[in-house]
Amino acid sequence: MDKGLLDRAHALAEETFLAGSGPGGQNANKVATEVQLRVNIYALRLPPPVFARLRDIAGSKITNAGDLLITARQHRTQEANRQAARDKLEELLEAAHRQPKKRAKTRVNRVGKTQRLKAKKARGQVKAKRGKVSRHDW
């Protein structure tokens, strides 16, 4: 992933500070330490496959308007939460840029196929015996 994208993402990010419900005791009630980071994913101009992966990874964190919402409230200080939110954004973007490995088809040899078919046949016979019992079966 290129550094330009991260710089663009950080430049587009809007930060909002809220009175968080996390650790901090009385401090949490007085100081707005929770950080909500909002980035418009359309403005990032991501390639279509990366964009699709980001949408899948982020899931419900993306609003209908296309804003990616990231909240951080695990730390006591505003600056630490701010850095945590930015780190989460970077992790999401890096994960979206990672291309999943193609699944290699497994090849079953002739013996494996016959064993699998025998097992299926045996299982089918077990299930067939579970049916309703009629008079001529007695």
Side-chain angles (χ1 to χ4, degrees):
M1 187 175 67
D2 60 343
K3 188 172 174 359
L5 175 66
L6 287 177
D7 292 340
R8 193 166 57 237
H10 288 305
L12 291 169
E14 298 172 14
E15 294 171 340
T16 313
F17 299 100
L18 311 163
S21 59
Q26 291 176 346
N27 185 55
N29 300 329
K30 293 186 285 187
V31 184
T33 55
E34 181 178 336
V35 177
Q36 190 177 59
L37 198 69
R38 183 182 291 263
V39 180
N40 190 305
I41 57 174
Y42 298 115
L44 291 176
R45 298 189 308 266
L46 297 170
V50 176
F51 181 81
R53 282 193 295 268
L54 178 63
R55 251 195 358 236
D56 289 342
I57 293 168
S60 63
K61 292 178 186 164
I62 297 179
T63 64
N64 289 338
D67 289 339
L68 174 63
L69 281 177
I70 298 172
T71 56
R73 63 170 149 254
Q74 60 266 36
H75 301 287
R76 289 176 62 106
T77 63
Q78 197 178 71
E79 191 55 42
N81 281 330
R82 190 172 180 215
Q83 188 57 45
R86 288 176 175 265
D87 291 344
K88 279 185 192 178
L89 174 64
E90 287 179 21
E91 286 172 16
L92 277 173
L93 289 174
E94 285 174 13
H97 273 82
R98 258 184 257 123
Q99 201 167 8
K101 291 181 181 176
K102 282 239 178 185
R103 182 185 166 274
K105 284 186 178 179
T106 56
R107 293 185 55 102
V108 183
N109 59 14
R110 187 172 44 82
V111 175
K113 279 184 186 176
T114 55
Q115 285 177 346
R116 182 175 58 87
L117 290 174
K118 275 185 190 173
K120 285 177 68 134
K121 195 72 171 167
R123 188 77 185 134
Q125 288 172 347
V126 167
K127 288 185 174 189
K129 291 177 183 173
R130 292 185 190 154
K132 198 172 188 180
V133 179
S134 63
R135 285 216 172 259
H136 73 277
D137 289 338
W138 292 6

